Amino acid sequence: VQLQASGGGLVQPGGNLTLSCAASGRFYSINIMSWYRQPPGKQRELVALLTSVGTTNYGNSVKGRFTISRDNAKNTFSLQMRGLKPEDTAVYYCRGSIVLSSTTPGLTDYWGQGTQVTVSS
């Protein structure tokens, strides 16, 4: 199983950007999809989370600006970011908590490689 994050780049303050994470390989389902970020010199933090039943959770600093969504048919999930601020600058990682087989219980975590988001004028 591999997760591939994409969509990062340089954007001006107030701009928008959408990140995508594509899952490939053999697995049964992605039960929890989430995005994390790691600003320069800081620890990795949760940005947004979406469960298979539709429950969402957002970091306080991004509530109302970021939206996480999924496309089950394509095994992808996205992070729509609006009103970006310089403090949103970070490497963004996607994470999938995955059920590998219908006969094998339990979740296995996989991480994407990270994509850089820079918010600057």
Side-chain angles (χ1 to χ4, degrees), residues 66-102:
F66 290 11
T67 303
I68 188 171
S69 61
R70 63 192 294 168
D71 185 335
N72 289 332
K74 296 180 179 180
N75 287 325
T76 62
F77 56 103
S78 299
L79 183 69
Q80 184 179 18
M81 305 184 292
R82 300 180 300 273
L84 283 161
K85 305 175 182 180
E87 51 264 41
D88 294 318
T89 295
V91 178
Y92 284 71
Y93 299 89
C94 58
R95 173 185 177 186
S97 299
I98 292 174
V99 177
L100 294 178
S101 165
S102 61

Side-chain angles (χ1 to χ4, degrees), residues 31-49:
N31 278 27
I32 304 173
M33 300 175 171
S34 52
W35 288 93
Y36 288 74
R37 69 185 181 187
Q38 187 164 14
K42 297 185 178 180
Q43 291 187 334
R44 194 174 296 190
E45 61 182 8
L46 175 69
V47 176
L49 177 149

